[in-house]
Amino acid sequence: MPRTTDRFVDIRRDPHSDELLARGGDLEAHSILQRAGFIAVVRLHETYHRAPAGLTEDDESRLATDAVARLRAAGYHVDCDEPFNTDARPARYPTLGTSVSHLAERLREATDTAEAADILTELTAPHDGILAGLEETLGALAEFFDGLSNATDPHTARRLRYLADEYVRVIHSDLAYTRERLADRHAPHPGRRACAEQVPDHEPERSAVCACPPPPRALPVPAPPPVGATRLRR
């Protein structure tokens, strides 16, 4: 079987710079690395991760060992320096992002506009919706930067408030309007319907289990012409 390279992660000290680096993995692995404390380094042809600046060697070792344990618990194959090797497998719990992504799954299964509107309400509810929470979080982060001492911190705080005011509120407003239109529409989705799991009386096939139409058949993609072949002129 071919090796699935995005399920492999390498965590080692670079022999030239002595930096603690993590390479490989897919987006899920990158999320795990960042939750363990690594910082993403995005390059043109590669995204890898490094330890935060200013850590002691012991702190870096603890960070790397924790990342190895989390990745292996998630089913990744991790090659690492021997000091980072561990048999620990910490428990995994659903993240907030996973809970939000579940809304996408529900929307893909929605069969009418009312159901879609109910799902969209989780984003747009003015008091406790996801976007209201995001706006509040950006405001709290801006307040955090207001209390820091670097010269650039006030600019960062203003930028965060700008994002909340100009971007999150616009998205919130547009989606709330979309939700209201869906709620007023009261229409089934023409390409989806709930399965009643009932066989109609006129169904001749004894093996039939429901009245749902068969899924559409994908047309085969024609093979490209062989190299060097001449095309017929019309």
Side-chain angles (χ1 to χ4, degrees), residues 176-218:
Y177 174 70
T178 301
R179 183 257 174 199
E180 291 164 2
R181 292 181 61 196
L182 285 172
D184 282 337
R185 196 161 174 175
H186 306 294
H189 191 291
R192 306 176 188 178
R193 65 180 180 183
C195 179
E197 299 183 357
Q198 295 179 352
V199 180
D201 295 336
H202 62 274
E203 174 60 62
E205 297 292 339
R206 296 174 59 188
S207 60
V209 293
C210 69
C212 294
R217 295 176 59 187

Side-chain angles (χ1 to χ4, degrees), residues 154-176:
H155 170 74
T156 301
R158 289 193 298 269
R159 177 66 180 173
L160 291 167
R161 291 189 174 95
Y162 172 78
L163 292 175
D165 293 341
E166 300 298 327
Y167 286 89
V168 177
R169 287 186 183 179
V170 169
I171 294 172
H172 195 168
S173 176
D174 280 2
L175 288 182

Side-chain angles (χ1 to χ4, degrees), residues 7 14 19 54 59 68 114 138 142 153 156-157 179 189:
R7 300 299 296 179
D14 183 87
E19 285 184 297
D59 288 338
V68 170
L138 288 174
D153 292 333
T156 301
R179 183 257 174 199
H189 191 291

Side-chain angles (χ1 to χ4, degrees), residues 125-150:
H127 173 64
D128 53 3
I130 291 168
L131 289 173
L134 176 58
E135 184 178 341
E136 183 177 358
T137 301
L138 288 174
L141 186 56
E143 293 174 6
F144 180 82
F145 272 94
D146 282 335
L148 296 179
S149 56
N150 281 355

Side-chain angles (χ1 to χ4, degrees), residues 11-162:
I11 301 179
R12 300 184 185 278
R13 290 195 181 277
D14 183 87
H16 304 291
S17 66
D18 203 37
E19 285 184 297
L20 175 60
L21 302 178
R23 283 190 161 91
D26 53 13
L27 292 179
E28 181 186 2
H30 296 176
S31 294
I32 293 172
L33 285 167
Q34 290 175 36
R35 283 191 166 88
F38 277 87
I39 294 175
V41 181
V42 181
R43 299 295 186 228
L44 181 62
H45 299 294
E46 180 188 20
T47 296
Y48 62 94
H49 291 76
R50 64 169 175 82
L55 295 185
T56 66
E57 186 172 334
D58 287 343
D59 288 338
E60 289 185 344
S61 294
R62 282 190 288 270
L63 184 151
T65 303
D66 182 40
V68 170
R70 292 186 188 212
L71 287 164
R72 287 176 176 170
Y76 289 90
H77 178 85
V78 184
D79 288 330
C80 63
D81 290 338
E82 185 55 35
F84 312 147
N85 198 17
T86 176
D87 292 327
R89 299 294 182 270
R92 302 184 67 204
Y93 301 98
T95 64
L96 289 175
T98 300
S99 300
V100 176
S101 295
H102 182 61
L103 297 178
E105 298 177 15
R106 292 174 58 193
L107 280 169
R108 293 187 184 103
E109 299 172 355
T111 58
D112 57 45
T113 55
E115 188 176 357
D118 286 344
I119 298 167
L120 201 53
T121 303
E122 297 299 329
L123 289 174
T124 62
H127 173 64
D128 53 3
I130 291 168
L131 289 173
L134 176 58
E135 184 178 341
E136 183 177 358
T137 301
L138 288 174
L141 186 56
E143 293 174 6
F144 180 82
F145 272 94
D146 282 335
L148 296 179
S149 56
N150 281 355
T152 59
D153 292 333
H155 170 74
T156 301
R158 289 193 298 269
R159 177 66 180 173
L160 291 167
R161 291 189 174 95
Y162 172 78

